[in-house]
Amino acid sequence: MLSELVQLSFDKIMQTRSYTVVILGAEGKRFAIYTDPSIGKALQMYLTGQEKARPLTHDLIDTIFQALKIRIKQVVISDLQDTVYFARLYLEMRHEDLRHIVEVDSRPSDCIILALMNNAPVFCTRDVLDRTIPIEE
């Protein structure tokens, strides 16, 4: 069954010691994804252009993708169960005249960092957007 996709925008990130809140929005609705503080720190480092002494995990993944000529096509937040979001990372590999799309189960927080690093769009299904709890400022 195909589901309508809604493009999301990255709104902001809020960090505490015990968790990170990533705020996403679409169609006038904003919602939060809670994640590990290390993800928030990595995201903040990327967004602020902060120098890192060594490559972080997302940098490693991105470097591997570039070396293998794998492009991040898109990210889709595909499900919401209780308060846990699920995402799919779509990767495009080309070999001569063949184009191969690989779909990988991923945490939305990891996908968002990779999408921002590669200027790839982030979507969610209409069903997920309808079931998110909207947040106010």
Side-chain angles (χ1 to χ4, degrees):
M1 175 181 130
L2 289 175
S3 181
E4 176 187 357
L5 297 181
V6 179
Q7 188 159 3
L8 299 173
S9 60
F10 174 78
D11 191 354
K12 67 176 149 179
I13 182 171
M14 296 180 291
Q15 184 88 27
T16 73
R17 284 191 175 165
S18 54
Y19 61 88
T20 296
V21 182
V22 177
I23 308 295
L24 300 171
E27 299 178 353
K29 183 178 186 180
R30 296 170 49 224
F31 64 95
I33 293 179
Y34 292 80
T35 187
D36 183 88
S38 64
I39 298 292
K41 184 176 181 187
L43 187 52
Q44 285 182 319
M45 290 175 80
Y46 170 73
L47 291 172
T48 60
Q50 184 178 345
E51 286 292 316
K52 298 168 262 192
R54 301 288 299 137
L56 300 176
T57 304
H58 298 95
D59 300 317
L60 172 65
I61 292 167
D62 192 53
T63 300
I64 291 168
F65 286 171
Q66 289 177 25
L68 296 174
K69 297 187 178 5
I70 296 171
R71 185 172 77 91
I72 296 175
K73 185 106 174 118
Q74 67 184 21
V75 170
V76 177
I77 299 174
S78 55
D79 198 7
L80 170 61
Q81 295 177 16
D82 297 316
T83 59
V84 178
Y85 289 88
F86 295 80
R88 308 297 289 176
L89 178 65
Y90 290 84
L91 304 172
E92 179 182 76
M93 302 180 326
R94 290 182 179 267
H95 180 69
E96 296 173 0
D97 291 340
L98 298 175
R99 185 178 108 173
H100 188 66
I101 304 292
V102 176
E103 182 180 342
V104 180
D105 181 34
S106 308
R107 296 185 310 179
S109 54
D110 292 325
C111 289
I112 290 167
I113 294 175
L114 289 169
L116 287 170
M117 291 172 78
N118 289 278
N119 200 29
V122 178
F123 299 93
C124 72
T125 63
R126 170 68 58 195
D127 175 61
V128 167
L129 184 62
D130 290 345
R131 291 188 292 129
T132 61
I133 298 170
I135 62 165
E136 302 301 322
E137 196 56 45

